[in-house]
Amino acid sequence: MKKKILALIMTTIVTSTIFFTGCGDGGNKPANSTVQNTAKTLIFAQGSDPRGLDPAYVDDGESAKVIVNVYEGLLKYKDESTELEPCLARSWNISKDGKEYTFKLREGVKFHDGTPFNADAVKYNIERQLPPNAKEDMPYASFTFGQVQKVEKVDDYTVKITLKEPYTPFLANLAMCLAAPMASPEALKKNSGNINESPVGTGPFKFVAWKKGESISLERNNEYWGDKAKADKVVFKFTKENSVRASELMTGAVDMMDGVDPNDVKKIKDSKMNILNEKGMNINYMAFNCSRAPFNDTKLRQAISYAINREELVKYLYQGFADVAYAPLPSFIPGFNDKIKSYEYNPEKAKNLLKEAGKENLQIKMIAYSNPRPYNPVNGQKLAEAIQNYLSKVGIKATIDVYPWKEYKEKIAQGEGDILFYGWTGDNGDADNFLSLFDSKEIKSTLNSAKYNSSKVDELLAKGRRTPNGEERNNVYKEIQSVVDKDAPWLTISYAKDMAAYSPKIKNFKVHPTGVVFLKNVDKE
């Protein structure tokens, strides 16, 4: 035990030394440098490296947390909601037919590399995600800009975007932190159209360095067009284990962390650290690979769904910090269907259905992720092992392969596994943002991780997108949930509470409903 304590102390000392001498340019200054002594550095700990830092090429929350501090879009969400407000566009107008959006752009804004932000930059950013320019590995391109017919420069600071047909979620999509943010056209040209490892935006912080597997460093953008960031530097530190992140917080090695394990809450509170615990806009689910045997059989998916006790599972794993999910849409989003409560635990029914299908001795492969996620703070492996136990009780033998997050995403794209574990944190508070995960057109992008294909769902999604907000549109989304519930491409598991922890020295720290952390206004005593 003494050796373990000593090792933890030494790790903390080394970690602290690395971060307070090696971020940005600080490590090159003399020890008695005034800048080094007064620089204010925020250290945020998360579960893994981003997949990348080009908003057009990523679809994960770990990337998004860094991206929102480096880039900006035409619109943004208010601090504590998904209500829209101006950002790089200072105003906009929508034509009567709902197909033309004209944006007046903010003047005097520059990208971090000095490139001016203007109508040409907006046109370049959107058109790189439209056919024929869009690449197959741009996961959000079709979701965000699929309805765009053309982008026109009216003048240097006016852009007109014409849609193929009315598309109600369009404005909300333009405030999202993936696909929609504006990147420097010059930086994109210099890097063959992909700045995953050298991001250049207009945001309050500028990219400095990325040490793979360790950290990403940012520094304040002193030429930022709005109110400047309160901190001089930001470090995103990558620590896979929740409990280690908690120890780093309590010893002062980091200032903030996400992915709080429910088992660590008491000791974090006892150490006088602050805990954020709010209702999250997310869904945690188990997906069947519907594209091939054995789970291209709806009845088999239904049978498996009866074999799992979600109430017991959520209570055991999340200890009151998550709610059981029966539908894929959080209850506070317009269009939530409160009539759905299918697949209540019934192992005998599961066995009978398996027997009817001739699948009593089924053997399957599950894949899971090793790190915590905002929708699943205990990590994918623990969830998979709990599911494995339930399946064994109805005669199903399941193996589990576990991968780090980035590799896991690649395995999903390759179609590996009969069952996989995944989740979603809402981008914009619109029902379409969640239910588009069942769109057959999103199979290629991997947003539809279950590879589920339903012409009925596709038809209803298209109807919902062209229907104005209101009860008629809400009913469309309720119907989609009913169809998906019957087809069972997922077993929905839980809605996680948004949980993070931070030092009492940190002021103004919040987790946005979309799951990201905007650090511009965060201060440190």
PDB file of all heavy atoms in Angstrom, residues 96-129:
ATOM      1  N   LYS A  96     -39.694  33.519 -47.701  1.00  0.00           N
ATOM      2  CA  LYS A  96     -41.037  33.043 -47.369  1.00  0.00           C
ATOM      3  C   LYS A  96     -41.225  31.563 -47.671  1.00  0.00           C
ATOM      4  O   LYS A  96     -41.979  30.869 -46.988  1.00  0.00           O
ATOM      5  CB  LYS A  96     -42.083  33.869 -48.121  1.00  0.00           C
ATOM      6  CG  LYS A  96     -42.238  35.293 -47.595  1.00  0.00           C
ATOM      7  CD  LYS A  96     -43.351  36.030 -48.326  1.00  0.00           C
ATOM      8  CE  LYS A  96     -43.510  37.446 -47.768  1.00  0.00           C
ATOM      9  NZ  LYS A  96     -44.594  38.187 -48.484  1.00  0.00           N
ATOM     10  N   ASP A  97     -40.563  31.073 -48.707  1.00  0.00           N
ATOM     11  CA  ASP A  97     -40.716  29.649 -49.049  1.00  0.00           C
ATOM     12  C   ASP A  97     -39.807  28.751 -48.208  1.00  0.00           C
ATOM     13  O   ASP A  97     -39.813  27.525 -48.360  1.00  0.00           O
ATOM     14  CB  ASP A  97     -40.476  29.409 -50.539  1.00  0.00           C
ATOM     15  CG  ASP A  97     -39.034  29.710 -50.969  1.00  0.00           C
ATOM     16  OD1 ASP A  97     -38.197  30.056 -50.109  1.00  0.00           O
ATOM     17  OD2 ASP A  97     -38.752  29.594 -52.181  1.00  0.00           O
ATOM     18  N   GLY A  98     -39.008  29.350 -47.302  1.00  0.00           N
ATOM     19  CA  GLY A  98     -38.173  28.568 -46.384  1.00  0.00           C
ATOM     20  C   GLY A  98     -36.967  27.929 -47.033  1.00  0.00           C
ATOM     21  O   GLY A  98     -36.327  27.057 -46.431  1.00  0.00           O
ATOM     22  N   LYS A  99     -36.584  28.385 -48.220  1.00  0.00           N
ATOM     23  CA  LYS A  99     -35.483  27.741 -48.941  1.00  0.00           C
ATOM     24  C   LYS A  99     -34.221  28.602 -49.056  1.00  0.00           C
ATOM     25  O   LYS A  99     -33.149  28.087 -49.350  1.00  0.00           O
ATOM     26  CB  LYS A  99     -35.949  27.324 -50.343  1.00  0.00           C
ATOM     27  CG  LYS A  99     -37.000  26.216 -50.308  1.00  0.00           C
ATOM     28  CD  LYS A  99     -37.654  25.997 -51.662  1.00  0.00           C
ATOM     29  CE  LYS A  99     -36.691  25.499 -52.702  1.00  0.00           C
ATOM     30  NZ  LYS A  99     -37.390  25.182 -53.977  1.00  0.00           N
ATOM     31  N   GLU A 100     -34.345  29.920 -48.842  1.00  0.00           N
ATOM     32  CA  GLU A 100     -33.191  30.791 -48.960  1.00  0.00           C
ATOM     33  C   GLU A 100     -32.855  31.442 -47.619  1.00  0.00           C
ATOM     34  O   GLU A 100     -33.709  32.080 -46.998  1.00  0.00           O
ATOM     35  CB  GLU A 100     -33.434  31.885 -50.008  1.00  0.00           C
ATOM     36  CG  GLU A 100     -33.503  31.357 -51.435  1.00  0.00           C
ATOM     37  CD  GLU A 100     -33.682  32.471 -52.446  1.00  0.00           C
ATOM     38  OE1 GLU A 100     -33.801  33.657 -52.047  1.00  0.00           O
ATOM     39  OE2 GLU A 100     -33.711  32.153 -53.659  1.00  0.00           O
ATOM     40  N   TYR A 101     -31.601  31.287 -47.196  1.00  0.00           N
ATOM     41  CA  TYR A 101     -31.112  31.867 -45.940  1.00  0.00           C
ATOM     42  C   TYR A 101     -30.004  32.859 -46.280  1.00  0.00           C
ATOM     43  O   TYR A 101     -28.979  32.486 -46.863  1.00  0.00           O
ATOM     44  CB  TYR A 101     -30.548  30.774 -45.027  1.00  0.00           C
ATOM     45  CG  TYR A 101     -31.591  29.847 -44.446  1.00  0.00           C
ATOM     46  CD1 TYR A 101     -32.262  28.919 -45.249  1.00  0.00           C
ATOM     47  CD2 TYR A 101     -31.897  29.889 -43.088  1.00  0.00           C
ATOM     48  CE1 TYR A 101     -33.221  28.062 -44.716  1.00  0.00           C
ATOM     49  CE2 TYR A 101     -32.845  29.024 -42.544  1.00  0.00           C
ATOM     50  CZ  TYR A 101     -33.500  28.132 -43.361  1.00  0.00           C
ATOM     51  OH  TYR A 101     -34.447  27.290 -42.829  1.00  0.00           O
ATOM     52  N   THR A 102     -30.208  34.112 -45.926  1.00  0.00           N
ATOM     53  CA  THR A 102     -29.209  35.144 -46.198  1.00  0.00           C
ATOM     54  C   THR A 102     -28.580  35.603 -44.890  1.00  0.00           C
ATOM     55  O   THR A 102     -29.289  36.006 -43.963  1.00  0.00           O
ATOM     56  CB  THR A 102     -29.844  36.341 -46.926  1.00  0.00           C
ATOM     57  OG1 THR A 102     -30.466  35.878 -48.134  1.00  0.00           O
ATOM     58  CG2 THR A 102     -28.784  37.378 -47.281  1.00  0.00           C
ATOM     59  N   PHE A 103     -27.251  35.529 -44.818  1.00  0.00           N
ATOM     60  CA  PHE A 103     -26.523  35.848 -43.591  1.00  0.00           C
ATOM     61  C   PHE A 103     -25.670  37.097 -43.786  1.00  0.00           C
ATOM     62  O   PHE A 103     -24.910  37.199 -44.753  1.00  0.00           O
ATOM     63  CB  PHE A 103     -25.614  34.687 -43.190  1.00  0.00           C
ATOM     64  CG  PHE A 103     -26.360  33.428 -42.845  1.00  0.00           C
ATOM     65  CD1 PHE A 103     -26.665  32.494 -43.837  1.00  0.00           C
ATOM     66  CD2 PHE A 103     -26.776  33.182 -41.549  1.00  0.00           C
ATOM     67  CE1 PHE A 103     -27.357  31.332 -43.529  1.00  0.00           C
ATOM     68  CE2 PHE A 103     -27.467  32.026 -41.230  1.00  0.00           C
ATOM     69  CZ  PHE A 103     -27.770  31.103 -42.223  1.00  0.00           C
ATOM     70  N   LYS A 104     -25.786  38.039 -42.861  1.00  0.00           N
ATOM     71  CA  LYS A 104     -24.903  39.192 -42.795  1.00  0.00           C
ATOM     72  C   LYS A 104     -23.760  38.839 -41.835  1.00  0.00           C
ATOM     73  O   LYS A 104     -24.008  38.516 -40.661  1.00  0.00           O
ATOM     74  CB  LYS A 104     -25.651  40.431 -42.289  1.00  0.00           C
ATOM     75  CG  LYS A 104     -26.731  40.929 -43.239  1.00  0.00           C
ATOM     76  CD  LYS A 104     -26.119  41.531 -44.501  1.00  0.00           C
ATOM     77  CE  LYS A 104     -27.199  42.126 -45.403  1.00  0.00           C
ATOM     78  NZ  LYS A 104     -26.606  42.701 -46.647  1.00  0.00           N
ATOM     79  N   LEU A 105     -22.529  38.906 -42.322  1.00  0.00           N
ATOM     80  CA  LEU A 105     -21.387  38.425 -41.552  1.00  0.00           C
ATOM     81  C   LEU A 105     -20.739  39.526 -40.722  1.00  0.00           C
ATOM     82  O   LEU A 105     -20.793  40.706 -41.073  1.00  0.00           O
ATOM     83  CB  LEU A 105     -20.343  37.824 -42.497  1.00  0.00           C
ATOM     84  CG  LEU A 105     -20.845  36.722 -43.445  1.00  0.00           C
ATOM     85  CD1 LEU A 105     -19.699  36.242 -44.321  1.00  0.00           C
ATOM     86  CD2 LEU A 105     -21.472  35.562 -42.676  1.00  0.00           C
ATOM     87  N   ARG A 106     -20.106  39.107 -39.651  1.00  0.00           N
ATOM     88  CA  ARG A 106     -19.377  40.032 -38.793  1.00  0.00           C
ATOM     89  C   ARG A 106     -18.099  40.482 -39.519  1.00  0.00           C
ATOM     90  O   ARG A 106     -17.375  39.658 -40.090  1.00  0.00           O
ATOM     91  CB  ARG A 106     -19.031  39.320 -37.481  1.00  0.00           C
ATOM     92  CG  ARG A 106     -18.627  40.249 -36.353  1.00  0.00           C
ATOM     93  CD  ARG A 106     -18.450  39.459 -35.070  1.00  0.00           C
ATOM     94  NE  ARG A 106     -19.694  38.829 -34.629  1.00  0.00           N
ATOM     95  CZ  ARG A 106     -20.651  39.441 -33.952  1.00  0.00           C
ATOM     96  NH1 ARG A 106     -20.512  40.729 -33.656  1.00  0.00           N
ATOM     97  NH2 ARG A 106     -21.740  38.793 -33.587  1.00  0.00           N
ATOM     98  N   GLU A 107     -17.821  41.754 -39.483  1.00  0.00           N
ATOM     99  CA  GLU A 107     -16.647  42.299 -40.161  1.00  0.00           C
ATOM    100  C   GLU A 107     -15.476  42.438 -39.194  1.00  0.00           C
ATOM    101  O   GLU A 107     -15.654  42.521 -37.978  1.00  0.00           O
ATOM    102  CB  GLU A 107     -16.981  43.647 -40.797  1.00  0.00           C
ATOM    103  CG  GLU A 107     -18.089  43.557 -41.849  1.00  0.00           C
ATOM    104  CD  GLU A 107     -18.376  44.891 -42.515  1.00  0.00           C
ATOM    105  OE1 GLU A 107     -17.455  45.727 -42.582  1.00  0.00           O
ATOM    106  OE2 GLU A 107     -19.532  45.100 -42.961  1.00  0.00           O
ATOM    107  N   GLY A 108     -14.278  42.423 -39.726  1.00  0.00           N
ATOM    108  CA  GLY A 108     -13.077  42.624 -38.918  1.00  0.00           C
ATOM    109  C   GLY A 108     -12.587  41.402 -38.182  1.00  0.00           C
ATOM    110  O   GLY A 108     -11.704  41.496 -37.325  1.00  0.00           O
ATOM    111  N   VAL A 109     -13.121  40.232 -38.512  1.00  0.00           N
ATOM    112  CA  VAL A 109     -12.717  38.983 -37.850  1.00  0.00           C
ATOM    113  C   VAL A 109     -11.615  38.316 -38.676  1.00  0.00           C
ATOM    114  O   VAL A 109     -11.680  38.285 -39.909  1.00  0.00           O
ATOM    115  CB  VAL A 109     -13.917  38.025 -37.699  1.00  0.00           C
ATOM    116  CG1 VAL A 109     -13.479  36.712 -37.064  1.00  0.00           C
ATOM    117  CG2 VAL A 109     -15.019  38.685 -36.878  1.00  0.00           C
ATOM    118  N   LYS A 110     -10.625  37.772 -37.989  1.00  0.00           N
ATOM    119  CA  LYS A 110      -9.565  37.043 -38.671  1.00  0.00           C
ATOM    120  C   LYS A 110      -9.390  35.656 -38.070  1.00  0.00           C
ATOM    121  O   LYS A 110      -9.607  35.441 -36.871  1.00  0.00           O
ATOM    122  CB  LYS A 110      -8.242  37.812 -38.585  1.00  0.00           C
ATOM    123  CG  LYS A 110      -8.218  39.076 -39.426  1.00  0.00           C
ATOM    124  CD  LYS A 110      -6.823  39.692 -39.437  1.00  0.00           C
ATOM    125  CE  LYS A 110      -6.796  40.917 -40.355  1.00  0.00           C
ATOM    126  NZ  LYS A 110      -5.439  41.506 -40.417  1.00  0.00           N
ATOM    127  N   PHE A 111      -8.992  34.725 -38.919  1.00  0.00           N
ATOM    128  CA  PHE A 111      -8.610  33.400 -38.433  1.00  0.00           C
ATOM    129  C   PHE A 111      -7.260  33.517 -37.714  1.00  0.00           C
ATOM    130  O   PHE A 111      -6.555  34.525 -37.842  1.00  0.00           O
ATOM    131  CB  PHE A 111      -8.506  32.417 -39.605  1.00  0.00           C
ATOM    132  CG  PHE A 111      -9.839  32.075 -40.219  1.00  0.00           C
ATOM    133  CD1 PHE A 111     -10.291  32.734 -41.356  1.00  0.00           C
ATOM    134  CD2 PHE A 111     -10.655  31.104 -39.657  1.00  0.00           C
ATOM    135  CE1 PHE A 111     -11.521  32.424 -41.927  1.00  0.00           C
ATOM    136  CE2 PHE A 111     -11.884  30.791 -40.210  1.00  0.00           C
ATOM    137  CZ  PHE A 111     -12.323  31.455 -41.347  1.00  0.00           C
ATOM    138  N   HIS A 112      -6.915  32.492 -36.968  1.00  0.00           N
ATOM    139  CA  HIS A 112      -5.689  32.537 -36.170  1.00  0.00           C
ATOM    140  C   HIS A 112      -4.427  32.720 -37.012  1.00  0.00           C
ATOM    141  O   HIS A 112      -3.406  33.195 -36.505  1.00  0.00           O
ATOM    142  CB  HIS A 112      -5.555  31.251 -35.339  1.00  0.00           C
ATOM    143  CG  HIS A 112      -6.691  31.058 -34.377  1.00  0.00           C
ATOM    144  ND1 HIS A 112      -7.091  29.818 -33.946  1.00  0.00           N
ATOM    145  CD2 HIS A 112      -7.529  31.954 -33.780  1.00  0.00           C
ATOM    146  CE1 HIS A 112      -8.119  29.950 -33.113  1.00  0.00           C
ATOM    147  NE2 HIS A 112      -8.395  31.228 -33.005  1.00  0.00           N
ATOM    148  N   ASP A 113      -4.485  32.341 -38.293  1.00  0.00           N
ATOM    149  CA  ASP A 113      -3.320  32.498 -39.165  1.00  0.00           C
ATOM    150  C   ASP A 113      -3.321  33.831 -39.893  1.00  0.00           C
ATOM    151  O   ASP A 113      -2.486  34.071 -40.772  1.00  0.00           O
ATOM    152  CB  ASP A 113      -3.222  31.343 -40.163  1.00  0.00           C
ATOM    153  CG  ASP A 113      -4.445  31.253 -41.079  1.00  0.00           C
ATOM    154  OD1 ASP A 113      -5.369  32.089 -40.942  1.00  0.00           O
ATOM    155  OD2 ASP A 113      -4.487  30.344 -41.924  1.00  0.00           O
ATOM    156  N   GLY A 114      -4.271  34.721 -39.539  1.00  0.00           N
ATOM    157  CA  GLY A 114      -4.336  36.033 -40.161  1.00  0.00           C
ATOM    158  C   GLY A 114      -5.232  36.108 -41.380  1.00  0.00           C
ATOM    159  O   GLY A 114      -5.483  37.199 -41.903  1.00  0.00           O
ATOM    160  N   THR A 115      -5.726  34.979 -41.866  1.00  0.00           N
ATOM    161  CA  THR A 115      -6.637  34.975 -43.008  1.00  0.00           C
ATOM    162  C   THR A 115      -7.937  35.682 -42.628  1.00  0.00           C
ATOM    163  O   THR A 115      -8.499  35.399 -41.566  1.00  0.00           O
ATOM    164  CB  THR A 115      -6.967  33.524 -43.438  1.00  0.00           C
ATOM    165  OG1 THR A 115      -5.750  32.852 -43.748  1.00  0.00           O
ATOM    166  CG2 THR A 115      -7.894  33.496 -44.632  1.00  0.00           C
ATOM    167  N   PRO A 116      -8.447  36.592 -43.453  1.00  0.00           N
ATOM    168  CA  PRO A 116      -9.692  37.281 -43.102  1.00  0.00           C
ATOM    169  C   PRO A 116     -10.905  36.364 -43.194  1.00  0.00           C
ATOM    170  O   PRO A 116     -10.993  35.524 -44.090  1.00  0.00           O
ATOM    171  CB  PRO A 116      -9.773  38.407 -44.143  1.00  0.00           C
ATOM    172  CG  PRO A 116      -8.929  37.953 -45.277  1.00  0.00           C
ATOM    173  CD  PRO A 116      -7.843  37.114 -44.686  1.00  0.00           C
ATOM    174  N   PHE A 117     -11.815  36.539 -42.241  1.00  0.00           N
ATOM    175  CA  PHE A 117     -13.104  35.835 -42.304  1.00  0.00           C
ATOM    176  C   PHE A 117     -14.060  36.686 -43.123  1.00  0.00           C
ATOM    177  O   PHE A 117     -14.259  37.871 -42.831  1.00  0.00           O
ATOM    178  CB  PHE A 117     -13.677  35.608 -40.906  1.00  0.00           C
ATOM    179  CG  PHE A 117     -15.111  35.150 -40.938  1.00  0.00           C
ATOM    180  CD1 PHE A 117     -15.425  33.849 -41.279  1.00  0.00           C
ATOM    181  CD2 PHE A 117     -16.148  36.044 -40.669  1.00  0.00           C
ATOM    182  CE1 PHE A 117     -16.755  33.428 -41.353  1.00  0.00           C
ATOM    183  CE2 PHE A 117     -17.476  35.632 -40.738  1.00  0.00           C
ATOM    184  CZ  PHE A 117     -17.765  34.328 -41.080  1.00  0.00           C
ATOM    185  N   ASN A 118     -14.656  36.090 -44.152  1.00  0.00           N
ATOM    186  CA  ASN A 118     -15.575  36.807 -45.024  1.00  0.00           C
ATOM    187  C   ASN A 118     -16.469  35.813 -45.771  1.00  0.00           C
ATOM    188  O   ASN A 118     -16.464  34.615 -45.460  1.00  0.00           O
ATOM    189  CB  ASN A 118     -14.791  37.693 -46.010  1.00  0.00           C
ATOM    190  CG  ASN A 118     -13.717  36.916 -46.757  1.00  0.00           C
ATOM    191  OD1 ASN A 118     -13.845  35.717 -46.986  1.00  0.00           O
ATOM    192  ND2 ASN A 118     -12.633  37.598 -47.121  1.00  0.00           N
ATOM    193  N   ALA A 119     -17.202  36.318 -46.745  1.00  0.00           N
ATOM    194  CA  ALA A 119     -18.128  35.465 -47.495  1.00  0.00           C
ATOM    195  C   ALA A 119     -17.398  34.356 -48.247  1.00  0.00           C
ATOM    196  O   ALA A 119     -17.911  33.237 -48.373  1.00  0.00           O
ATOM    197  CB  ALA A 119     -18.940  36.316 -48.466  1.00  0.00           C
ATOM    198  N   ASP A 120     -16.202  34.656 -48.754  1.00  0.00           N
ATOM    199  CA  ASP A 120     -15.429  33.628 -49.456  1.00  0.00           C
ATOM    200  C   ASP A 120     -15.087  32.469 -48.514  1.00  0.00           C
ATOM    201  O   ASP A 120     -15.117  31.304 -48.918  1.00  0.00           O
ATOM    202  CB  ASP A 120     -14.133  34.229 -50.016  1.00  0.00           C
ATOM    203  CG  ASP A 120     -14.390  35.190 -51.161  1.00  0.00           C
ATOM    204  OD1 ASP A 120     -15.259  34.890 -52.007  1.00  0.00           O
ATOM    205  OD2 ASP A 120     -13.734  36.253 -51.206  1.00  0.00           O
ATOM    206  N   ALA A 121     -14.758  32.792 -47.262  1.00  0.00           N
ATOM    207  CA  ALA A 121     -14.417  31.746 -46.288  1.00  0.00           C
ATOM    208  C   ALA A 121     -15.625  30.867 -45.982  1.00  0.00           C
ATOM    209  O   ALA A 121     -15.508  29.640 -45.875  1.00  0.00           O
ATOM    210  CB  ALA A 121     -13.882  32.382 -45.007  1.00  0.00           C
ATOM    211  N   VAL A 122     -16.793  31.487 -45.847  1.00  0.00           N
ATOM    212  CA  VAL A 122     -18.012  30.717 -45.576  1.00  0.00           C
ATOM    213  C   VAL A 122     -18.321  29.797 -46.748  1.00  0.00           C
ATOM    214  O   VAL A 122     -18.616  28.608 -46.575  1.00  0.00           O
ATOM    215  CB  VAL A 122     -19.198  31.660 -45.304  1.00  0.00           C
ATOM    216  CG1 VAL A 122     -20.493  30.864 -45.158  1.00  0.00           C
ATOM    217  CG2 VAL A 122     -18.939  32.491 -44.048  1.00  0.00           C
ATOM    218  N   LYS A 123     -18.246  30.343 -47.941  1.00  0.00           N
ATOM    219  CA  LYS A 123     -18.522  29.562 -49.147  1.00  0.00           C
ATOM    220  C   LYS A 123     -17.566  28.381 -49.251  1.00  0.00           C
ATOM    221  O   LYS A 123     -17.974  27.246 -49.537  1.00  0.00           O
ATOM    222  CB  LYS A 123     -18.393  30.475 -50.376  1.00  0.00           C
ATOM    223  CG  LYS A 123     -18.914  29.905 -51.692  1.00  0.00           C
ATOM    224  CD  LYS A 123     -18.901  30.995 -52.762  1.00  0.00           C
ATOM    225  CE  LYS A 123     -19.579  30.533 -54.049  1.00  0.00           C
ATOM    226  NZ  LYS A 123     -18.822  29.497 -54.750  1.00  0.00           N
ATOM    227  N   TYR A 124     -16.290  28.628 -48.986  1.00  0.00           N
ATOM    228  CA  TYR A 124     -15.274  27.574 -49.066  1.00  0.00           C
ATOM    229  C   TYR A 124     -15.562  26.464 -48.049  1.00  0.00           C
ATOM    230  O   TYR A 124     -15.482  25.273 -48.368  1.00  0.00           O
ATOM    231  CB  TYR A 124     -13.891  28.173 -48.822  1.00  0.00           C
ATOM    232  CG  TYR A 124     -12.752  27.218 -49.067  1.00  0.00           C
ATOM    233  CD1 TYR A 124     -12.126  27.153 -50.305  1.00  0.00           C
ATOM    234  CD2 TYR A 124     -12.299  26.369 -48.053  1.00  0.00           C
ATOM    235  CE1 TYR A 124     -11.083  26.269 -50.535  1.00  0.00           C
ATOM    236  CE2 TYR A 124     -11.261  25.481 -48.275  1.00  0.00           C
ATOM    237  CZ  TYR A 124     -10.656  25.438 -49.521  1.00  0.00           C
ATOM    238  OH  TYR A 124      -9.622  24.553 -49.739  1.00  0.00           O
ATOM    239  N   ASN A 125     -15.890  26.855 -46.815  1.00  0.00           N
ATOM    240  CA  ASN A 125     -16.130  25.866 -45.756  1.00  0.00           C
ATOM    241  C   ASN A 125     -17.327  24.979 -46.044  1.00  0.00           C
ATOM    242  O   ASN A 125     -17.289  23.772 -45.793  1.00  0.00           O
ATOM    243  CB  ASN A 125     -16.318  26.588 -44.417  1.00  0.00           C
ATOM    244  CG  ASN A 125     -15.014  26.800 -43.674  1.00  0.00           C
ATOM    245  OD1 ASN A 125     -14.592  25.945 -42.909  1.00  0.00           O
ATOM    246  ND2 ASN A 125     -14.363  27.924 -43.933  1.00  0.00           N
ATOM    247  N   ILE A 126     -18.397  25.557 -46.550  1.00  0.00           N
ATOM    248  CA  ILE A 126     -19.589  24.747 -46.829  1.00  0.00           C
ATOM    249  C   ILE A 126     -19.389  23.898 -48.071  1.00  0.00           C
ATOM    250  O   ILE A 126     -19.724  22.701 -48.075  1.00  0.00           O
ATOM    251  CB  ILE A 126     -20.831  25.650 -46.959  1.00  0.00           C
ATOM    252  CG1 ILE A 126     -21.112  26.355 -45.633  1.00  0.00           C
ATOM    253  CG2 ILE A 126     -22.052  24.828 -47.395  1.00  0.00           C
ATOM    254  CD1 ILE A 126     -22.261  27.338 -45.666  1.00  0.00           C
ATOM    255  N   GLU A 127     -18.817  24.476 -49.109  1.00  0.00           N
ATOM    256  CA  GLU A 127     -18.678  23.738 -50.367  1.00  0.00           C
ATOM    257  C   GLU A 127     -17.710  22.571 -50.263  1.00  0.00           C
ATOM    258  O   GLU A 127     -17.826  21.604 -51.017  1.00  0.00           O
ATOM    259  CB  GLU A 127     -18.245  24.689 -51.489  1.00  0.00           C
ATOM    260  CG  GLU A 127     -19.384  25.606 -51.933  1.00  0.00           C
ATOM    261  CD  GLU A 127     -19.012  26.501 -53.091  1.00  0.00           C
ATOM    262  OE1 GLU A 127     -17.795  26.677 -53.348  1.00  0.00           O
ATOM    263  OE2 GLU A 127     -19.943  27.041 -53.738  1.00  0.00           O
ATOM    264  N   ARG A 128     -16.762  22.606 -49.330  1.00  0.00           N
ATOM    265  CA  ARG A 128     -15.870  21.446 -49.188  1.00  0.00           C
ATOM    266  C   ARG A 128     -16.605  20.239 -48.617  1.00  0.00           C
ATOM    267  O   ARG A 128     -16.111  19.110 -48.680  1.00  0.00           O
ATOM    268  CB  ARG A 128     -14.654  21.799 -48.327  1.00  0.00           C
ATOM    269  CG  ARG A 128     -14.869  21.848 -46.811  1.00  0.00           C
ATOM    270  CD  ARG A 128     -13.519  21.966 -46.124  1.00  0.00           C
ATOM    271  NE  ARG A 128     -13.631  22.117 -44.690  1.00  0.00           N
ATOM    272  CZ  ARG A 128     -12.923  21.411 -43.804  1.00  0.00           C
ATOM    273  NH1 ARG A 128     -12.028  20.535 -44.210  1.00  0.00           N
ATOM    274  NH2 ARG A 128     -13.071  21.619 -42.512  1.00  0.00           N
ATOM    275  N   GLN A 129     -17.807  20.466 -48.068  1.00  0.00           N
ATOM    276  CA  GLN A 129     -18.603  19.363 -47.529  1.00  0.00           C
ATOM    277  C   GLN A 129     -19.828  19.052 -48.397  1.00  0.00           C
ATOM    278  O   GLN A 129     -20.729  18.335 -47.977  1.00  0.00           O
ATOM    279  CB  GLN A 129     -19.030  19.682 -46.106  1.00  0.00           C
ATOM    280  CG  GLN A 129     -17.841  19.817 -45.157  1.00  0.00           C
ATOM    281  CD  GLN A 129     -18.253  20.034 -43.727  1.00  0.00           C
ATOM    282  OE1 GLN A 129     -18.728  19.121 -43.040  1.00  0.00           O
ATOM    283  NE2 GLN A 129     -18.074  21.253 -43.250  1.00  0.00           N
TER     284      GLN A 129
END
